[in-house]
Each structure stands twice: as C-alpha cells, then as structure tokens.
Amino acid sequence: MFTSLIPALHGLLPNVEHRFCWRHLYGNLAKKHRGKQLRDEMWAAAKATTVADWKKHMKKISVINPDAHKVIEKMDPTTWARFAFSPRSKCNSLLNNMSESFNAFILENRDKPIITCMDMIRESLIVRMQEKRQALNGYKGRLCPNIQKKLKATKGLTRNCIALWAADNIFEVKTISNKFIVNLSIHTCNCKKWDFTGLPCQHAISAIFLKK
C-alpha cells in the first residue's frame, strides 16, 4: 500500500500534514478487494468527522469484507479519514482534485527546463489572480460567492436543529438523532465540521441564530 511513503514524506516535510487521495487509496485496495458495499462504507468511513461514526462504518466493513478490513485497519487514519485530520489547515479534502487541476493548468509548462517551467508557472498564476480580481470587482457581497453559496445551503439544514444556551458562548444543539456542543468563542462544534473547514456547520449557525 501507500503507507510506506509516509515516513519519507515526514522526513522531508516534518511539519506538514500528509494525506492520501481516497480515490487512489481505494483503487489500490480494489485490486484484491472489490464490491460496491465495501466502496460505499469505506467512503463513508473516510467522510466521518467523529470517532463514533468512523468506528460504526469500520465495523460494517469488517462484516462485509474481513480481509479488506484488516488492510484498512493498518492505515494511519490521519492520512485518509476526516475525523483524524488536524483542524490547523482548515481543509477536509479527501481527494487530490486540487493537484490534478493544477497539473492540468500547467500542462504546457511541464516539459520545459526547470527555470523556464517555474517562470511560466509564475506568469500563469499572476494572470489567473488578476482575472479573478477583475471578476470580483463588481461583486458586492461580504464573502466570496462560493463560500456564500455553501453557507446558504448549510443554513437550510438548521430547520432540523434546536439550540439551547448553556453558558457564555456555549450551546447545546439538538437534532433528530443527536446532540452537539458548540462553542462560539473558539469556533468549534463536536461534529468537527466547523473545526476542519473554518465554515460554521448547521449546529453552529443554529447557535448563532439563537444569539441573534
């Protein structure tokens, strides 16, 4: 598997968080262990933001395919499962779409000598940043459009939440099936979504609404 690469990466970049792309990770596992149920449960385990949810999906994997479970269990969850990611980076990405997009962006530059390649990438990034600045010149919102869209979608989920004020900026938020603790002072919720992305989850937004 990929796990042997991690010590080498930590040796080169000891203070950087290292993750695997889930799609490639599963593709490697699927060479010996296939099945839609296995794939769906492994994806659900990767997306889980709490230990309890992760363990629940791992248990299902152990029933569906015990051999695959033994392989997955040996993987360091900090490299592929959201619940174990560091909140420092404010990124919960499970796929390498960003690097794939960047590779496509610099495709014409990659076969050049290294100095020429780097300079062409620099120029391309300058042009891209200027295009983005110009596109936003007429935008009147307080937040970037994509972030605003995500927050609007999350706000819609608060209809299933009931927020209760506990003390200071701490709230208990009840949903149909669970309860969550939100601390508005330090921007955390124990569902971990706010911690990982920097964007308030529905529980945090529910608490914010209650505080007006």
Side-chain angles (χ1 to χ4, degrees), residues 43-108:
W43 180 236
K47 291 195 298 180
T49 56
T50 64
V51 178
D53 277 348
W54 181 75
K55 286 183 176 179
K56 179 182 73 176
H57 293 295
M58 286 293 286
K59 187 174 181 179
K60 289 181 180 179
I61 290 171
S62 69
V63 174
I64 294 166
N65 190 324
D67 292 333
H69 180 263
K70 289 176 184 176
V71 176
I72 298 168
E73 208 172 26
K74 291 177 182 177
M75 300 177 195
D76 181 355
T78 62
T79 63
W80 70 278
R82 273 184 185 154
F83 87 92
F85 289 171
S86 164
R88 186 180 65 174
S89 62
K90 299 303 176 192
C91 173
N92 65 353
S93 181
L94 296 166
L95 305 171
N96 69 341
N97 291 346
M98 286 185 286
S99 56
E100 295 287 358
S101 296
F102 186 72
N103 278 335
F105 178 67
I106 65 169
L107 190 61
E108 295 179 3

Side-chain angles (χ1 to χ4, degrees), residues 98 148 168 195:
M98 286 185 286
Q148 189 70 57
D168 298 326
D195 307 54

